[in-house]
Amino acid sequence: MKALNPQLNTWDDSALLQFFMSENMRRPENINFGIGEMDFPTPQIIVDACKGALDSGITFYMPTAGAPELRLALAEACSREYGLEFTENEIFVTPGGTNALFVVILALAGDGGEVLYPNPGFPAYLPQIALGNGTPVDYPLSEENGFIPEPDDIRNRITNRTKLLILNSPSNPIGNIIPSETLEDLAAIAIDNDIWVISDEAYRHLVYAPDRHSSIISLPGMRERTFLTCSFSKSYSMTGWRIGYIVAPSTFNEAFFKIFQYTVTCVSSFSQIAAAKAVQLGDSYYRETLLQMTSRKELIERGLSEITTVSFPKPQGAFYVFLNIQRTGLSSAEVSKKLLDDYSLVTIPGSAFGDLGEGYLRLSYASDLDKIEEGLERLKDAMQHLIPQ
Amino acid sequence: MKALNPQLNTWDDSALLQFFMSENMRRPENINFGIGEMDFPTPQIIVDACKGALDSGITFYMPTAGAPELRLALAEACSREYGLEFTENEIFVTPGGTNALFVVILALAGDGGEVLYPNPGFPAYLPQIALGNGTPVDYPLSEENGFIPEPDDIRNRITNRTKLLILNSPSNPIGNIIPSETLEDLAAIAIDNDIWVISDEAYRHLVYAPDRHSSIISLPGMRERTFLTCSFSKSYSMTGWRIGYIVAPSTFNEAFFKIFQYTVTCVSSFSQIAAAKAVQLGDSYYRETLLQMTSRKELIERGLSEITTVSFPKPQGAFYVFLNIQRTGLSSAEVSKKLLDDYSLVTIPGSAFGDLGEGYLRLSYASDLDKIEEGLERLKDAMQHLIPQ
């Protein structure tokens, strides 16, 4: 038998998969701090729009770049949110935010170009770069810097083969945001070195007051080199719908069209009509969601503060806490396994997000207050046993 | 500005796009023989299943390989249709048949491996091979052989770098099918040379009596090296839903999982529930569709036979006729443009399907009888003017 694509060997998540597939993962008494989606159902008004589109027979192919009404709605929303004027030609609808990332990487770095990505960071970056035939180059995020990218770390890794810098704010798995001053430094580096930037803002509508979301795309000189990727999954509790989008200079449309036409064709037609309705919900919808998510964040923050043997950066966005469990003396995979097996608490080992995630766990607080409370109890209990006093 | 992925320059469809974007393409009086989808709406029972899934709150992530009930339904249907026993572990659900093809090519040939594909053939093959970092090697289909792959043409193109052979039956754009004897010859070649086969069967439920669909996957020794790609688009008038699937030995699941998890994540949850319902419709649904499509096929076949200056292979499957227009003395792009501009008839120039498609037009008969009749009149009229008597 001939060999498969050797890029598939660039990463190995078999241990992690084994963990996720384990018997104990399916126990009904589990509290799930692992999951990357909110427990809210999709708002009824969006569901109704989808059903209406189905009833109107919108079951045929859509244009490759997206339904015109969705592109227009997104252009208007992004113009408002970023203080720039976007047209529908700068919006490209994709089947989810993950696919949006892959399309950009494949278009820009598929010649072996180097792509800088955060470690720890979203687990898809490395596989996407490898599968897109780019060259992965990680940059460190460390607790002593608040898990913020250090401009010097980026600068030192740039070569004449560097094509792309991936930024992720709010961050999965850290739950922090990149401050404006750092974005300004990073913008200067991108401009000086003529590199493109992917700004992965899948969680941009989940930033907790007094913090505010800011994006590198809004900085002078950056709009023409920034590829903003986003998703309906987290903003509107639409994970199962698979709708994302790219905001990019329209000069790249031909490249995206070529990739998209021949790898995906188009995105579900009636789902796009529903997504356009979601965009029209406007800011009031985010405010309501944020209100609920803020109580959850405050609860977990308070609860974790009471466990004096662990530490974590201040949660500012998304719905994750990145918990330092180094005093257990165990690997993050070992701690996650013990939490699951002995305490029925699901967490994600930090090593799933890169080797520099070792020593941490990602906790998701996207579930209701009772469950968070119970999960915190189990965690407290576990840490008392795992960390020698 | 740095360069984009040079693979994007492997093909150029800008002329074709310009044609599709032209003003005249949007005239209401047009008859559309260009379109690659049937005019039937998605059956109501499938739409209702989708609405039911939405109402039940099935709006969250699905497993990467697909909804369990859909994989099971497809395994049962494929077992019945191919005379083999498939389990759900051999089914991988994708966002459309085009993505199914891309995932297989990326998994198997992403090391620069050579991929044999038909010319003329489905326009996605070459871009997919290029974007998946394989090496495209076309094999000819010619009118004198009935546009059937010649085993010798395949054999002569095999090197020690050949990974994959793409077969497409029923064929887009030809509308013919590959006979069983040829499939047997091709199977022997694949086995002798240890190469994998993609059997693109997107149109397998549209084969007209007395012809019958047969697949290379059913031949001895082929199941373990065949990747069957298929789609709900043509079988159930579900083009806008974006659901396809791969049938493949389960030993490749890890590779597909790795690609799929990080490039697409999963397929729309509620759409998969609806697709499972579609599969359960069983053979009676295809029979009804085929009945309607057979009248359309017979009408266009009869009409075209009356135009003595053109010729075409016998339509056996899908909903296309590949029309030889060489006696016009014009390129296929020129003829398509004239038909659009002067006769309001949309067709696809054969050159869109590869350079060996030059001299032909692809006509789709996926519209109602009145429109086909009117389109035939316009074509007759045009040919009288275009071909010197």
Side-chain angles (χ1 to χ4, degrees):
Chain A
M1 190 69 94
K2 302 198 174 172
L4 299 185
N5 184 345
Q7 298 285 14
L8 289 164
N9 305 325
T10 309
W11 76 99
D12 178 12
D13 38 24
S14 54
L16 197 68
L17 275 177
Q18 211 179 347
F19 171 64
F20 283 123
M21 295 299 185
S22 65
E23 268 309 299
N24 285 347
M25 214 39 134
R26 288 193 294 274
R27 289 188 303 201
E29 67 269 30
N30 284 350
I31 293 286
N32 197 336
F33 279 2
I35 197 154
E37 67 186 339
M38 295 191 285
D39 59 340
F40 307 131
T42 304
Q44 191 61 39
I45 191 168
I46 301 173
V47 169
D48 287 342
C50 185
K51 290 162 69 180
L54 281 164
D55 284 336
S56 318
I58 302 181
T59 59
F60 296 94
Y61 284 124
M62 271 285 169
T64 295
E69 51 269 65
L70 178 55
R71 295 176 83 194
L72 190 62
L74 284 169
E76 287 171 1
C78 290
S79 299
R80 214 168 43 239
E81 291 183 47
Y82 293 102
L84 295 163
E85 272 190 46
F86 294 105
T87 71
E88 62 269 40
N89 290 322
E90 288 157 283
I91 310 288
F92 216 98
V93 183
T94 63
T98 293
N99 189 258
L101 283 162
F102 181 62
V103 168
V104 176
I105 290 170
L106 190 56
L108 303 184
D111 57 350
E114 293 172 5
V115 184
L116 295 165
Y117 70 100
N119 179 1
F122 181 45
Y125 297 140
L126 170 61
Q128 292 189 336
I129 299 164
L131 291 171
N133 208 38
T135 304
V137 178
D138 64 340
Y139 63 84
L141 301 179
S142 70
E143 191 171 354
E144 63 260 35
N145 292 327
F147 292 102
I148 304 293
E150 267 297 293
D152 277 344
D153 286 331
I154 307 287
R155 201 180 282 111
N156 295 339
R157 282 166 174 76
I158 290 177
T159 73
N160 57 6
R161 294 179 59 227
T162 306
K163 295 294 247 352
L164 256 172
L165 165 65
I166 300 180
L167 301 177
N168 177 215
S169 177
S171 154
N172 172 9
I174 318 282
N176 66 351
I177 61 176
I178 305 179
S180 304
E181 315 81 73
T182 306
L183 290 177
E184 281 167 25
D185 291 345
L186 295 171
I189 294 173
I191 292 167
D192 288 350
N193 295 279
D194 188 21
I195 60 178
W196 289 303
V197 172
I198 288 181
S199 188
D200 175 358
E201 304 187 9
Y203 294 91
R204 80 173 194 266
H205 294 126
L206 290 165
V207 175
Y208 304 102
D211 288 304
R212 292 188 55 184
H213 178 61
S214 54
S215 171
I216 200 164
I217 201 171
S218 304
L219 298 179
M222 285 309 296
R223 178 183 178 169
E224 52 266 42
R225 57 178 67 251
T226 300
F227 299 81
L228 197 153
T229 62
C230 206
S231 165
F232 282 73
S233 294
K234 321 294 176 178
S235 295
Y236 302 99
S237 296
M238 290 173 72
T239 47
W241 295 62
R242 315 309 310 134
I243 307 184
Y245 55 99
I246 304 165
V247 184
S250 56
T251 42
F252 292 85
N253 266 3
E254 193 194 331
F256 294 151
F257 180 90
K258 279 182 146 186
I259 293 177
F260 204 60
Q261 169 75 8
Y262 297 120
T263 62
V264 173
T265 313
C266 68
V267 170
S268 165
S269 51
F270 47 84
S271 298
Q272 288 194 70
I273 302 303
K277 175 60 92 178
V279 179
Q280 287 154 16
L281 291 179
D283 298 342
S284 65
Y285 172 71
Y286 308 130
R287 269 198 298 274
E288 257 176 67
T289 309
L290 259 183
L291 214 61
Q292 293 188 66
M293 292 303 295
T294 301
S295 329
R296 295 169 173 191
K297 178 193 76 96
E298 287 172 353
L299 176 62
I300 201 165
E301 206 173 351
R302 206 162 49 237
L304 292 174
S305 307
E306 290 166 10
I307 313 180
T308 53
T309 50
V310 299
S311 60
F312 57 95
K314 180 173 176 290
Q316 298 172 294
F319 39 71
Y320 304 117
V321 178
F322 207 55
L323 196 70
N324 181 327
I325 44 87
Q326 291 166 9
R327 289 187 55 192
T328 59
L330 301 172
S331 75
S332 57
E334 287 167 328
V335 175
S336 275
K337 188 166 166 16
K338 267 190 192 296
L339 288 173
L340 176 65
D341 293 348
D342 303 343
Y343 300 89
S344 303
L345 181 62
V346 180
T347 60
I348 313 279
S351 53
F353 305 95
D355 57 350
L356 298 183
E358 187 47 87
Y360 301 87
L361 298 182
R362 189 191 79 175
L363 310 183
S364 158
Y365 51 90
S367 39
D368 67 38
L369 295 172
D370 288 351
K371 285 187 186 141
I372 295 175
E373 202 127 30
E374 173 61 27
L376 281 166
E377 285 308 314
R378 295 183 189 182
L379 190 68
K380 270 181 214 177
D381 190 16
M383 288 303 152
Q384 265 164 6
H385 286 87
L386 287 174
I387 301 180
Q389 300 300 312
Chain B
M1 191 70 97
K2 302 198 173 172
L4 298 185
N5 183 346
Q7 299 284 14
L8 289 163
N9 304 325
T10 309
W11 76 99
D12 177 12
D13 37 25
S14 54
L16 198 69
L17 274 177
Q18 210 179 346
F19 171 64
F20 283 122
M21 295 298 183
S22 65
E23 266 311 297
N24 284 348
M25 212 41 132
R26 289 192 294 274
R27 287 188 305 201
E29 66 269 30
N30 284 349
I31 294 285
N32 197 337
F33 278 2
I35 198 153
E37 67 185 339
M38 295 190 286
D39 59 340
F40 306 132
T42 304
Q44 191 62 38
I45 191 168
I46 302 174
V47 168
D48 287 342
C50 185
K51 290 162 70 179
L54 282 164
D55 284 336
S56 319
I58 302 180
T59 59
F60 296 94
Y61 284 126
M62 272 284 171
T64 296
E69 52 268 65
L70 177 55
R71 296 176 82 193
L72 189 62
L74 285 169
E76 286 171 0
C78 289
S79 298
R80 215 167 45 239
E81 290 183 48
Y82 293 103
L84 295 164
E85 270 190 48
F86 294 106
T87 70
E88 63 269 40
N89 289 323
E90 289 157 282
I91 309 289
F92 216 98
V93 182
T94 63
T98 293
N99 188 259
L101 283 162
F102 181 62
V103 168
V104 176
I105 291 170
L106 189 56
L108 304 183
D111 57 350
E114 292 171 5
V115 183
L116 296 164
Y117 70 100
N119 179 0
F122 181 45
Y125 297 140
L126 170 61
Q128 291 190 335
I129 299 164
L131 290 171
N133 208 38
T135 304
V137 178
D138 64 340
Y139 64 84
L141 300 179
S142 71
E143 192 171 353
E144 63 260 34
N145 292 328
F147 292 103
I148 304 293
E150 268 295 295
D152 277 344
D153 285 332
I154 307 286
R155 202 179 282 111
N156 295 339
R157 282 167 174 75
I158 290 178
T159 73
N160 57 6
R161 293 180 59 227
T162 306
K163 297 292 251 347
L164 256 173
L165 165 65
I166 301 180
L167 301 177
N168 177 214
S169 176
S171 155
N172 173 11
I174 317 282
N176 66 352
I177 61 176
I178 305 179
S180 304
E181 317 82 72
T182 306
L183 290 178
E184 282 167 24
D185 292 344
L186 295 172
I189 294 173
I191 292 167
D192 287 351
N193 295 279
D194 187 22
I195 60 177
W196 288 304
V197 173
I198 288 181
S199 187
D200 175 358
E201 305 186 9
Y203 294 91
R204 81 173 194 265
H205 294 125
L206 290 165
V207 176
Y208 304 101
D211 288 304
R212 292 187 57 182
H213 179 61
S214 53
S215 170
I216 199 163
I217 201 172
S218 304
L219 298 178
M222 284 309 294
R223 178 183 177 170
E224 51 265 43
R225 59 176 68 253
T226 301
F227 299 82
L228 197 154
T229 61
C230 205
S231 165
F232 282 73
S233 294
K234 320 296 175 177
S235 295
Y236 302 98
S237 296
M238 289 174 72
T239 47
W241 295 63
R242 313 312 308 133
I243 306 185
Y245 54 99
I246 305 166
V247 184
S250 57
T251 43
F252 292 86
N253 266 3
E254 192 193 332
F256 294 151
F257 180 90
K258 278 183 144 184
I259 293 177
F260 204 60
Q261 170 76 8
Y262 297 121
T263 62
V264 173
T265 313
C266 67
V267 170
S268 165
S269 51
F270 47 85
S271 297
Q272 288 194 70
I273 302 303
K277 175 60 91 177
V279 178
Q280 288 155 14
L281 291 180
D283 297 344
S284 65
Y285 172 71
Y286 308 130
R287 269 198 298 274
E288 258 177 68
T289 309
L290 259 183
L291 213 63
Q292 292 188 66
M293 291 304 295
T294 301
S295 331
R296 295 170 173 192
K297 178 194 77 99
E298 288 172 351
L299 176 62
I300 201 164
E301 206 174 351
R302 205 162 51 237
L304 291 174
S305 308
E306 290 166 9
I307 312 179
T308 54
T309 50
V310 299
S311 60
F312 57 96
K314 180 173 176 294
Q316 298 173 294
F319 38 72
Y320 303 117
V321 178
F322 208 55
L323 195 72
N324 181 326
I325 44 86
Q326 291 165 11
R327 289 187 54 194
T328 59
L330 301 172
S331 76
S332 57
E334 287 166 331
V335 175
S336 275
K337 186 166 166 22
K338 267 190 191 297
L339 288 173
L340 175 65
D341 293 348
D342 302 345
Y343 299 89
S344 302
L345 181 63
V346 181
T347 61
I348 312 280
S351 54
F353 304 96
D355 57 349
L356 299 182
E358 187 49 86
Y360 300 87
L361 298 183
R362 189 190 78 175
L363 309 183
S364 159
Y365 51 90
S367 38
D368 68 38
L369 295 171
D370 287 352
K371 286 190 185 138
I372 295 175
E373 201 126 32
E374 173 61 26
L376 281 166
E377 284 309 314
R378 295 184 190 181
L379 190 68
K380 270 181 211 174
D381 190 14
M383 287 303 153
Q384 265 165 6
H385 286 89
L386 287 174
I387 300 180
Q389 301 299 312

